[in-house]
Amino acid sequence: MNPEAEAKAPPADEEATSAGPLAFPPVSARGGGAAAMRLIVPLQGIVQGRGGLVLGSLIPCALFYFLQIYLKRNRSSPSPSSSSPPADEAELPGIVRTLSRASLGSARSPAAVSSRAVSVAKSSDSAAYFVGYKKCSEDPYHPLDNPDGVIQLGLAENHLSFDLIEGWFATNSKNSWFDERQGGLNINGLATYQPSDGLMELKMAIAGFMGQVVQGSVSFNPSRIILTAGATSAIEILSFCLGDHGNGFLVPSPYYPGYDRNTKWTAGIEVIPVPCRSTDNFSFSIAALERAYDQAKKRGVKVRAVLFSNPSNPVGNLLQRKLLHDLLDFATEKNIHVIADEVFAGSTYGNEEFVSMAEILNSDDEFDRSRVHIIYSLSKDLSVPGFRTGLIYSFNDQVLSVASKLTRFSSISAPTQRLLISMLTDSDFITRYIKVNRSRLRAMHALFVDGLKQLGIKCVKSGGGFYCWADMSQFMKSYSEKGEFELWKELLDLAKINATPGTACHCIEPGWFRFCFTTLTEKDVPVIMERFKRIFDSR
Amino acid sequence: MMLTGLIAPFHFSFTWFVACFLKLTTMAKSCVPLSELATSNTHGEDSPYFAGWKAYDEEPYDAAENPSGVIQMGLAENQVSFDLLEEYLEQHPEATGWGCGISGFRENALFQDYRGLRAFRQAMATFMEKIRGERAKFDPERIVLTAGATAANELLTFILADPGDCLLIPAPYYPGFDRDLRWRTGANIIPVHCNSSNGFQITTQNLEAAFAEAVAMGFRVRGVLITNPSNPLGTTISRPVLEEILVFAARNDIHLISDEIYSGSVFSPDEFVSMAEIVEERGYKDCERVHVVYSLSKDLGLPGFRVGAIYSYNDRVVTTARKMSSFTLVSSQTQKMLASMLSDRVFVENYLETNRKRLKERHDYIVEGLKDAGIECLRGNAGLFCWMNLAPLLKETTREGELELWKLILQEVKLNISPGSSCHCSEAGWFRVCFANMSQRTLEVALRRMRNFMDGPTPIRRITSLPFKAEMALKQKAYSDLESQAHLQIYLKNKHEDALSLLQEEARIKDETIAHQQTLINLMKAELAKTRPPSG
């Protein structure tokens, strides 16, 4: 055996199998006789040493890529465009790139990006979401102007009480900035550097608001609040605080698809779904958590927290007090954290009572609070998603101090904070808003779910959120993910309704859909039901 | 009876012990673990740069309330043109985004497109072109908005480097990079050491040396990040140097991040060349590795608004950055407000011109003031700070010596300035002094304090600053300054022999003669040759 080859033959461990082929790109690309032999001999070592089939197919592929790269490098580079930016791709991230050979190969092309950027670019990011979203923006439904347009039921936004917010702004537009005591506008409190974790005045105002939406069942301490640019970055920051790269968070599924990117993209935390079933009303059980925990452990993934939404997104159910208690016991036993995403806390409409994790802690002195963290945001309950105002409410002092430093990367614009302070401190308005918004939510929910019921579509009994979770499995051609996708496509293309398929939320049972009804008016509901009917009748 | 008396305390202490033990074990268990990031000291905030801020926060200067407090000269904030912003906002209440009618507000509050408002990106692009004298074009579709340049730089690092990779950054560099670029990304920074011999200019040799060093340390180099105009130097990078840097990046197949957040704060617009211009002049050759970072915090003086941007010529980077910007979006209300402000051509032109003029006046004022006190600064032409040389005051020319002086200035002179070592400057004795975050009055107070310090009996400077004073007098040949003359006479009478040999020795040891020392030596030699002190 060629001594050189022997010297280069990598040990048959994992590192070698991944790094081995990559170690010789220029040689393989040129493919000269002797050079090729030098390459192939050690490769054979790998192939024989470990799963030959996989590597046997991987290596030719790798060689093919290097050849491609080599050719690409030697071609004249296409004239780079200052005028043709990736506009379309921005709207459809992932879809085009995922399958493109160029993107796989370019990990080694000139000006390579990091592997985490490659995985972000690859992440399909619920392609369905974006295709549907695009159709809605291109051809939006309007009862008079565009009655055949696409109706958006995939967007968890609340327009039901926007008239109230608008009314407030119309009468209070100037006050928030003009400080009478200072004799007019004072830009010093706006323009200069402010604390990155938010203004104390806003923390106090939001703490009051949070107490009000849970109807005084618990009071929140402003000094435990860290303000962030939306709940998205609140989850990102908590991920950085609670887990290391490669650790996992248990998340009952179906879950809000954003969790994957919020925990994974930068912090590298893996979401470990804890599948819930329709027979349990999609509520998780401690037994299911145990199972997922054990499986993760077997895989060598360290679980650091349980992350769940309450009221749940996409199902809309509220978690029972008992379950929350049990969850805390489970977290204590495993010595892990609990992250309660309560962004819909103020958007409940049923007769059921919403129980905040903070309330459980108040009633239970035994429990170690330092493992509990709550996510909240004004995007849903106050209908101002554009203002990017979210927060972490943590009972852990160290997390508060680290998160406060981390908000440097995602802080909220000072003028927006000032604006929200003056709005939230108008207690008459806020009280009225919460009350009216709840009753409108309730009415719209009843109307929409009723309409579905008449079509024979059942929804999970829900108590909060902007959506209902409907069982459409009877309309699928096959009881599978594919069947669900086809149905989704049919809804979008024929009925011109954009909804969120359960698969996008990692639901294990096919045929479930999330319909958001808070962007509708009452008159839209019959139109939607008619469209559903048309499709289902034609079968 | 006796027995129980004996047992009882024992029993008590035993239970107590058990209780304690149990409590300890439960405490150990209940201490729920956090991430390494949260528990380690990797946040990079240990440097005196941040310590000085704390000292300021504890007793901030206030002309009326606390006249002996610390003056903050460590914060690069631009307040010299606030009146223009206030004036604009008062005249255009509709710009604030909710006085302009109800329909506009609805769209604005609900606006969720993570690409950002088209009108705002267009306004940003035009603003950036304006700052560069229309010599470079910016396409709004390539602008990715972030909540400040801090986030923009971090986001680029996430995209360009994997944990364990490194970026090359010409030093001295902004101390915040140690935190912003490394903390969460796991990337490393290798400084490209520049020195005073050529005014801290970046050279290909220095870049290559840093590259070789990084490779020798086992790092994969993914990019070079420059700040142009430089923070902390307050200087712009010349066209040939920029070209060299781009060639260097292309040769080594790495990225080039050009942080241009002070581009509108160059005193004379012609003195700034953007990397965007270089890219265009080269016909977009190698452009896919170039990324420009911008922000409104410095040029517009609006750090509280948290608006930063990535401008990349690389499609993949634009797409990925846009997706990842969901962690650091700018409030729609703020976007709308700034869109109208930046689209107002008259306002923008007037603002830029006035702001440049005022910054230059401030800069010249402080540089002159320091010169009067006997302190030299690097010749600067941009930014909100000057790069001050206090090396002659150091007891020993080391980092420790520098920090000793820094502490002295913080505690006794009550000025928070940023020591060069926190910027990874390879030469001891340099300090960054910010001048735009205070009123003219406060600046005057700061200069007075500095002058008193230089004239005072502080032990460190007693010997060392004399030659410096002498140098001033000699250089200016203006002997009307009686004080300088007195210094000069004392120096020439008593100390000149010792001091001269000391300086020469120092210059020899360091093998790199600091410019002013060389000048001084020459001047002194000339004076000594005349063998008598000049008379007024």
Side-chain angles (χ1 to χ4, degrees):
Chain A
M1 192 170 177
N2 182 344
E4 199 185 343
E6 196 173 61
K8 276 190 183 172
D13 60 19
E14 260 179 27
E15 197 182 299
T17 52
S18 59
L22 291 178
F24 309 91
V27 188
S28 67
R30 276 181 211 106
M37 276 312 289
R38 271 212 300 279
L39 173 69
I40 285 163
V41 172
L43 287 180
Q44 276 173 342
I46 307 168
V47 175
Q48 284 157 5
R50 290 173 68 92
L53 188 64
V54 179
L55 287 165
S57 50
L58 262 179
I59 290 163
C61 286
L63 290 174
F64 179 69
Y65 282 134
F66 296 137
L67 183 68
Q68 289 247 321
I69 293 158
Y70 178 73
L71 291 174
K72 208 171 145 195
R73 277 192 176 184
N74 285 276
R75 257 201 317 256
S76 63
S77 60
S79 68
S81 48
S82 69
S83 53
S84 67
D88 256 2
E89 248 178 300
E91 281 163 29
L92 299 168
I95 297 172
V96 185
R97 287 283 178 195
T98 316
L99 302 170
S100 102
R101 182 175 293 131
S103 104
L104 291 168
S106 62
R108 300 229 123 213
S109 79
V113 295
S114 70
S115 56
R116 46 186 164 209
V118 171
S119 71
V120 169
K122 269 189 198 166
S123 66
S124 64
D125 203 19
S126 320
Y129 252 172
F130 287 92
V131 174
Y133 194 85
K134 198 177 171 217
K135 284 213 166 186
C136 289
S137 60
E138 281 168 3
D139 181 21
Y141 169 80
H142 189 275
L144 301 173
D145 302 341
N146 191 15
D148 292 327
V150 182
I151 299 181
Q152 173 66 289
L153 298 180
L155 192 62
E157 244 177 35
N158 181 7
H159 299 181
L160 297 178
S161 310
F162 211 82
D163 54 327
L164 300 183
I165 308 260
E166 276 169 345
W168 185 88
F169 278 109
T171 47
N172 299 274
S173 59
K174 268 174 115 184
N175 302 351
S176 57
W177 284 31
F178 286 82
D179 189 343
E180 299 301 331
R181 284 160 299 172
Q182 305 240 0
L185 186 136
N186 178 17
I187 202 168
N188 257 309
L190 293 172
T192 54
Y193 279 103
Q194 306 295 324
S196 69
D197 62 352
L199 300 172
M200 195 56 192
E201 282 164 280
L202 182 57
K203 291 183 183 180
M204 285 162 67
I206 293 188
F209 181 72
M210 288 166 74
Q212 220 171 336
V213 300
V214 297
Q215 289 157 353
S217 59
V218 59
S219 67
F220 292 90
N221 176 358
S223 62
R224 298 215 158 274
I225 290 180
I226 299 290
L227 294 173
T228 61
T232 302
S233 54
I235 295 172
E236 184 207 27
I237 287 173
L238 266 185
S239 303
F240 270 112
C241 292
L242 306 184
D244 297 314
H245 199 275
N247 291 164
F249 286 175
L250 297 179
V251 182
S253 77
Y255 60 85
Y256 164 59
Y259 285 162
D260 287 312
R261 53 172 190 266
N262 297 352
T263 59
K264 177 110 202 202
W265 278 1
T266 53
I269 306 278
E270 189 190 332
V271 167
I272 302 164
V274 181
C276 303
R277 300 187 168 275
S278 51
T279 48
D280 305 323
N281 210 23
F282 289 105
S283 180
F284 65 88
S285 66
I286 300 302
L289 287 177
E290 288 277 5
R291 265 197 306 277
Y293 183 91
D294 290 340
Q295 276 168 9
K297 210 170 159 189
K298 263 183 215 151
R299 280 198 295 136
V301 175
K302 198 170 176 186
V303 173
R304 303 299 288 262
V306 179
L307 163 65
F308 66 96
S309 54
N310 181 29
S312 137
N313 181 6
V315 178
N317 51 9
L318 307 183
L319 295 190
Q320 303 297 314
R321 196 177 286 269
K322 165 95 175 51
L323 183 58
L324 293 175
H325 269 288
D326 292 347
L327 175 62
L328 289 183
D329 289 339
F330 171 78
T332 309
E333 189 202 317
K334 305 293 184 200
N335 199 20
I336 57 177
H337 294 267
V338 171
I339 307 170
D341 175 353
E342 302 185 351
V343 296
F344 288 101
S347 305
T348 53
Y349 45 76
N351 301 319
E352 245 181 296
E353 174 206 24
F354 166 75
V355 186
S356 167
M357 207 53 173
E359 195 188 329
I360 302 284
L361 286 186
N362 262 15
S363 62
D364 189 349
D365 280 345
E366 292 294 293
F367 191 75
D368 167 30
R369 294 150 171 256
S370 70
R371 67 178 81 246
V372 177
H373 321 276
I374 295 171
I375 304 280
Y376 190 61
S377 151
L378 296 181
S379 301
K380 308 297 181 186
D381 286 354
L382 204 62
S383 307
V384 285
F387 287 13
R388 310 303 311 149
T389 306
L391 64 87
I392 296 166
Y393 188 89
S394 175
F395 292 88
N396 187 316
D397 294 339
Q398 203 181 348
V399 167
L400 287 174
S401 113
V402 177
S404 147
K405 287 200 176 93
L406 289 174
T407 51
R408 181 172 171 75
F409 303 109
S410 6
S411 38
I412 312 168
S413 142
T416 301
Q417 293 193 56
R418 290 268 161 222
L419 179 58
L420 288 168
I421 290 168
S422 61
M423 186 174 183
L424 290 174
T425 46
D426 185 342
S427 58
D428 289 349
F429 164 72
I430 290 297
T431 311
R432 193 163 64 94
Y433 173 82
I434 293 174
K435 199 172 149 223
V436 173
N437 185 43
R438 254 202 192 113
S439 74
R440 288 185 187 173
L441 262 175
R442 179 178 298 140
M444 186 56 89
H445 172 258
L447 188 69
F448 196 85
V449 171
D450 245 25
L452 290 177
K453 205 173 169 187
Q454 282 170 25
L455 296 174
I457 301 167
K458 283 195 197 109
C459 295
V460 170
K461 188 176 171 293
S462 59
F466 300 160
Y467 33 74
C468 57
W469 186 241
D471 180 5
M472 307 278 281
S473 55
Q474 52 180 315
F475 305 111
M476 295 192 299
K477 287 189 182 114
S478 64
Y479 187 78
S480 64
E481 217 172 276
K482 186 163 170 269
E484 182 185 290
F485 182 76
E486 281 167 1
L487 178 59
W488 171 79
K489 198 100 182 60
E490 215 173 327
L491 286 178
L492 184 63
D493 294 341
L494 302 177
K496 298 217 172 171
I497 287 174
N498 180 42
T500 310
T503 319
C505 305
H506 303 261
C507 184
I508 50 161
E509 294 178 20
W512 290 86
F513 280 78
R514 188 187 77 164
F515 298 124
C516 294
F517 50 76
T518 44
T519 51
L520 308 172
T521 64
E522 283 177 18
K523 282 181 193 154
D524 297 335
V525 178
V527 178
I528 293 165
M529 298 308 156
E530 193 49 47
R531 289 190 183 187
F532 274 139
K533 202 160 176 286
R534 212 167 55 218
I535 296 245
F536 302 144
D537 287 352
S538 69
R539 283 162 185 258
Chain B
M1 201 55 197
M2 190 69 184
L3 198 67
T4 27
L6 275 172
I7 286 174
F10 170 75
H11 181 78
F12 176 75
S13 64
F14 180 73
T15 8
W16 179 81
F17 174 76
V18 170
C20 280
F21 180 75
L22 282 176
K23 188 161 187 194
L24 273 174
T25 47
T26 47
M27 263 176 71
K29 200 186 171 187
S30 72
C31 186
V32 54
L34 299 179
S35 65
E36 270 174 41
L37 177 135
T39 47
S40 67
N41 260 348
T42 50
H43 51 68
E45 287 192 6
D46 300 331
S47 84
Y49 174 72
F50 295 104
W53 285 13
K54 275 172 211 137
Y56 164 75
D57 285 339
E58 277 159 22
E59 49 158 342
Y61 169 82
D62 186 293
E65 311 265 322
N66 189 16
S68 63
V70 176
I71 297 179
Q72 171 64 295
M73 304 188 94
L75 181 65
E77 206 170 61
N78 178 8
Q79 300 186 3
V80 300
S81 304
F82 271 1
D83 55 324
L84 301 181
L85 296 175
E86 283 173 354
E87 190 186 44
Y88 176 84
L89 290 175
E90 286 196 6
Q91 285 168 4
H92 302 83
E94 79 282 358
T96 49
W98 56 88
C100 59
I102 277 170
S103 61
F105 177 73
R106 169 181 286 253
E107 277 158 30
N108 191 235
L110 292 173
F111 183 79
Q112 286 208 70
D113 189 337
Y114 57 84
R115 284 172 295 170
L117 276 183
R118 163 87 208 185
F120 178 51
R121 280 179 290 135
Q122 179 64 60
M124 277 285 271
T126 317
F127 187 64
M128 287 165 75
E129 285 169 4
K130 185 111 228 151
I131 284 171
R132 285 155 188 79
E134 322 279 346
R135 295 184 301 266
K137 279 205 167 42
F138 293 101
D139 178 348
E141 297 306 319
R142 288 193 176 277
I143 290 183
V144 178
L145 297 173
T146 59
T150 302
N153 279 320
E154 193 207 28
L155 192 47
L156 273 176
T157 312
F158 265 122
I159 290 173
L160 305 181
D162 282 308
D165 292 348
C166 82
L167 295 179
L168 307 180
I169 306 185
Y173 62 77
Y174 164 56
F177 283 154
D178 285 332
R179 169 184 54 189
D180 302 345
L181 306 184
R182 292 164 49 206
W183 194 18
R184 302 202 300 185
T185 65
N188 298 292
I189 295 175
I190 298 291
V192 180
H193 288 296
C194 303
N195 51 53
S196 59
S197 61
N198 65 346
F200 293 99
Q201 276 193 56
I202 304 163
T203 64
T204 307
Q205 290 91 316
N206 295 349
L207 287 168
E208 292 289 1
F211 191 92
E213 187 194 338
V215 170
M217 289 166 82
F219 292 130
R220 186 161 57 157
V221 181
R222 298 310 283 266
V224 52
L225 186 154
I226 55 170
T227 57
N228 180 26
S230 159
N231 176 5
L233 299 176
T235 54
T236 54
I237 303 178
S238 70
R239 183 181 298 269
V241 174
L242 288 173
E243 279 163 1
E244 274 178 39
I245 297 170
L246 182 52
V247 168
F248 164 80
R251 187 167 58 238
N252 291 293
D253 192 11
I254 58 174
H255 290 269
L256 169 52
I257 303 173
S258 182
D259 178 338
E260 304 185 353
I261 62 171
Y262 292 98
S263 49
S265 304
V266 183
F267 308 146
S268 161
D270 310 330
E271 289 183 25
F272 173 70
V273 182
S274 167
M275 195 43 94
E277 288 171 54
I278 307 287
V279 165
E280 282 184 32
E281 277 162 22
R282 291 165 56 101
Y284 298 97
K285 186 167 171 271
D286 296 319
C287 73
E288 77 280 5
R289 64 182 79 251
V290 178
H291 321 281
V292 177
V293 168
Y294 190 57
S295 146
L296 297 180
S297 301
K298 308 299 181 185
D299 291 348
L300 214 53
L302 294 176
F305 284 42
R306 309 307 311 140
V307 180
I310 295 170
Y311 190 89
S312 175
Y313 295 91
N314 185 317
D315 291 357
R316 273 166 73 81
V317 172
V318 171
T319 314
T320 314
R322 201 163 264 163
K323 286 170 94 175
M324 292 176 80
S325 74
S326 57
F327 300 120
T328 177
L329 295 174
V330 182
S331 148
S332 55
Q333 175 273 334
T334 301
Q335 290 187 47
K336 178 154 190 191
M337 174 179 168
L338 290 169
S340 17
M341 188 191 261
L342 292 182
S343 312
D344 188 326
R345 271 189 51 192
V346 179
F347 165 76
V348 167
E349 272 169 31
N350 177 45
Y351 178 92
L352 283 176
E353 201 192 314
T354 316
N355 185 51
R356 285 182 203 276
K357 206 178 102 221
R358 289 181 183 173
L359 285 178
K360 181 171 169 33
E361 282 165 9
R362 274 289 174 96
H363 173 266
D364 293 352
Y365 178 77
I366 189 172
V367 169
E368 276 304 309
L370 288 172
K371 205 171 180 183
D372 279 350
I375 300 169
E376 293 239 324
C377 293
L378 181 76
R379 229 180 85 97
N381 61 353
L384 314 174
F385 29 73
C386 54
W387 188 237
M388 174 172 85
N389 183 8
L390 294 185
L393 304 200
L394 297 188
K395 230 190 238 169
E396 46 177 85
T397 323
T398 59
R399 183 174 190 270
E400 287 68 35
E402 177 183 291
L403 290 181
E404 197 182 329
L405 180 62
W406 171 74
K407 253 185 217 147
L408 190 77
I409 293 176
L410 181 62
Q411 286 162 2
E412 288 186 14
V413 193
K414 299 285 179 91
L415 298 179
N416 176 39
I417 55 179
S418 310
S421 56
S422 68
C423 307
H424 298 264
C425 184
S426 54
E427 288 173 21
W430 292 88
F431 293 82
R432 188 188 80 165
V433 187
C434 297
F435 54 74
N437 59 324
M438 63 193 78
S439 66
Q440 179 73 21
R441 282 252 166 86
T442 311
L443 186 59
E444 282 163 22
V445 175
L447 277 175
R448 201 177 315 135
R449 287 183 184 181
M450 207 61 207
R451 200 173 301 127
N452 290 342
F453 171 66
M454 293 300 285
D455 294 342
T458 310
I460 295 184
R461 55 165 288 270
R462 196 176 291 144
I463 300 167
T464 44
S465 78
L466 274 173
F468 213 73
K469 281 279 182 186
E471 178 199 11
M472 294 313 303
L474 287 166
K475 259 187 177 173
Q476 291 172 349
K477 294 275 180 206
Y479 301 119
S480 55
D481 180 351
L482 288 174
E483 196 188 47
S484 296
Q485 198 189 346
H487 279 304
L488 186 66
Q489 281 173 357
I490 296 165
Y491 161 69
L492 286 171
K493 263 185 205 153
N494 306 322
K495 304 250 183 182
H496 60 272
E497 299 288 358
D498 294 347
L500 180 59
S501 58
L502 206 83
L503 275 168
Q504 280 169 327
E505 180 64 10
E506 196 185 355
R508 196 183 58 76
I509 292 170
K510 284 186 72 181
D511 199 37
E512 43 183 80
T513 314
I514 295 174
H516 78 261
Q517 285 178 341
Q518 191 57 60
T519 320
L520 183 54
I521 290 166
N522 294 340
L523 283 167
M524 277 195 290
K525 277 183 182 160
E527 285 301 320
L528 286 170
K530 286 190 231 161
T531 62
R532 64 175 191 85
S535 53

